[in-house]
Amino acid sequence: MKTRWFKWSISFLSTLLLSCASSPTDQQIIDLKQRIEFDGISVLPPQAKNWMLGASPLGGIIFKKQLSETLDEPESHTLLAGVRYADLAEKAPKNMQELLLFTESSHSSQNDPRLHNMRLSVHVDENRSKTLNTDCVVYEQLMKESANPLFPGKVFMLTAQGFQCRHPFYANIVIDTFCTERYLENTQTVDKAYKDECIAFLDTVRFQSPVSQTDTFKDISYLNVPAWNYPQWQQLISAAIMLNEQGNKSGAEQLCYQALHFADANMIKSLFDYADMLETQMNNHSIFIRNRANKLAKLRAQQENTTTPQTTYLGFQPTVILKEYARFLNKLQKTTDATSIEMLEEAYKYTQEVHAVRFRIMSEGGNAQGICTGFEKAH
């Protein structure tokens, strides 16, 4: 059991340290009073200025504080608040004592040579356990990080404060809610007011019961596209790029939209198909997948009917689910279907790159009409 917990903690810490910098995917928070809900978790953003909604590397949600003193080198001093979840299956803690052991083990065991654990405190969180009606423990940790490839010769301090709970409605899920600060050794930490903003965020977390949604959004018009066909998608992309190079911006824009829509809609349809297959096998994981598919479909329906800026956060990565679906199909020896889903994942990743490239062009004051290239060709 310790090995499973240990790997969970290491992968999160290592990836989190590499994801501290601001990125083009960071979003401004439009409405501080709008709760963000995903996978049985509900949370409010930090209730203060200069917090950005960022992309979490391993699922869940991360908010990043924009620190004015580090604008030239934002990676050197970061303050993050976030919630993540881990599906530990049969290895999940079953009571308070096992949760204590889990938290201690996952935070004290380090095999990353960059990290040195200097102090760790873990104890039962009685008040939060009563409030959330489950088992919760609180932790505080101080670590030292060295040999960071992005900052040769520099040493960082990393503080982490938060709590972990057994999800009251999903026996195999552990929730981790945290505030972390990373700063250069022998330099000052952030002001107490900033830390208080982060700590207050921890108290906004709530858990939701698993509700198996009906396919309310499965039949929306946005999903009315032909069945997935990778060569057809490639032809649309190639034609859009060619028209753009020839100066036909409007024609390129139409074809590019068709290609992006084709991949995106089939991705959502595939999630519904995956949920259906899981349900036929009496697998409760179908609830997660169906709710995610519905969330995406509902979001697309809203985006088609509004021009108002919105803060949208999924709490999951569709590409991860597509990979999972392909593995599931391979286990069922449906290799042709599995290959098709793998190609869909590749196409969907490309559509996200196109959106990022277009966003960057527009944020720099440029005209993105007709642009249908990903990162590789954009450079």
Side-chain angles (χ1 to χ4, degrees), residues 245-343:
E245 292 173 347
Q246 293 174 350
N248 187 347
K249 301 292 185 181
S250 61
E253 185 72 9
Q254 291 178 9
L255 287 180
C256 188
Y257 173 79
Q258 290 179 34
L260 301 185
H261 180 200
F262 185 42
D264 185 67
N266 271 289
M267 177 273 294
I268 298 173
K269 290 168 64 176
S270 293
L271 265 57
F272 279 117
D273 292 342
Y274 183 28
D276 290 342
M277 294 186 71
L278 288 170
E279 190 171 357
T280 61
Q281 297 192 0
M282 306 298 290
N283 189 327
N284 288 336
H285 189 50
S286 64
I287 298 176
F288 263 127
I289 303 301
R290 192 175 306 281
N291 287 351
R292 290 170 174 179
N294 269 311
K295 186 172 185 176
L296 278 166
K298 180 181 179 181
L299 176 61
R300 297 297 185 265
Q302 292 173 339
Q303 290 172 336
E304 283 193 316
N305 297 310
T306 184
T307 57
T308 304
Q310 294 177 319
T311 300
T312 57
Y313 186 77
L314 296 177
F316 62 92
Q317 299 178 29
T319 53
V320 173
I321 303 178
L322 291 175
K323 284 182 182 292
E324 179 184 309
Y325 186 21
R327 289 195 298 268
F328 180 77
L329 290 169
N330 273 318
K331 288 181 179 179
L332 297 179
Q333 297 184 344
K334 297 178 178 290
T335 55
T336 301
D337 292 341
T339 300
S340 179
I341 295 300
E342 290 169 353
M343 294 298 97

Side-chain angles (χ1 to χ4, degrees), residues 67-268:
L67 303 175
S68 57
E69 67 272 20
T70 63
L71 290 178
D72 294 333
E73 197 174 36
E75 303 93 335
S76 65
H77 193 174
T78 59
L79 181 64
L80 308 179
V83 183
R84 64 172 181 139
Y85 59 89
D87 186 343
L88 299 174
E90 71 281 356
K91 302 295 185 180
K94 298 178 178 58
N95 51 50
M96 181 69 83
Q97 187 59 35
E98 288 191 4
L99 181 64
L100 274 170
L101 293 173
F102 166 75
T103 305
E104 291 173 350
S105 175
S106 61
H107 282 79
S108 62
S109 301
Q110 303 289 346
N111 71 340
D112 189 332
R114 290 166 43 192
L115 301 174
H116 173 62
N117 188 28
M118 301 182 67
R119 185 174 67 247
L120 174 65
S121 171
V122 180
H123 57 85
V124 173
D125 191 338
E126 295 183 356
N127 290 334
R128 188 167 275 111
S129 295
K130 292 179 181 178
T131 300
L132 299 178
N133 194 30
T134 187
D135 297 325
C136 296
V137 300
V138 64
Y139 65 85
E140 292 188 24
Q141 187 170 21
L142 175 65
M143 289 180 290
K144 180 181 289 189
E145 180 201 8
S146 58
N148 188 314
L150 300 179
F151 297 93
K154 294 185 178 180
V155 177
F156 290 91
M157 304 303 295
L158 175 67
T159 64
Q161 181 176 353
F163 65 88
Q164 292 186 343
C165 297
R166 297 173 57 240
H167 199 294
F169 305 110
Y170 297 95
N172 56 330
I173 298 292
V174 171
I175 306 299
D176 184 20
T177 305
F178 57 87
C179 291
T180 66
E181 181 185 5
R182 186 177 71 169
Y183 55 94
L184 286 169
E185 188 179 32
N186 299 322
T187 61
Q188 288 187 339
T189 63
V190 296
D191 294 338
K192 182 179 182 299
Y194 290 173
K195 294 182 180 179
D196 289 343
E197 294 171 9
C198 197
I199 297 302
F201 159 81
L202 301 180
D203 293 329
T204 71
V205 174
R206 296 292 182 267
F207 300 139
Q208 298 173 318
S209 61
V211 178
S212 183
Q213 301 176 354
T214 59
D215 289 343
T216 309
F217 301 97
K218 189 175 183 178
D219 298 322
I220 63 172
S221 60
Y222 181 82
L223 301 184
N224 187 21
V225 296
W228 175 241
N229 184 298
Y230 184 71
Q232 181 181 345
W233 174 82
Q234 282 186 312
Q235 291 174 5
L236 286 170
I237 292 292
S238 297
I241 293 174
M242 182 182 68
L243 287 180
N244 184 59
E245 292 173 347
Q246 293 174 350
N248 187 347
K249 301 292 185 181
S250 61
E253 185 72 9
Q254 291 178 9
L255 287 180
C256 188
Y257 173 79
Q258 290 179 34
L260 301 185
H261 180 200
F262 185 42
D264 185 67
N266 271 289
M267 177 273 294
I268 298 173

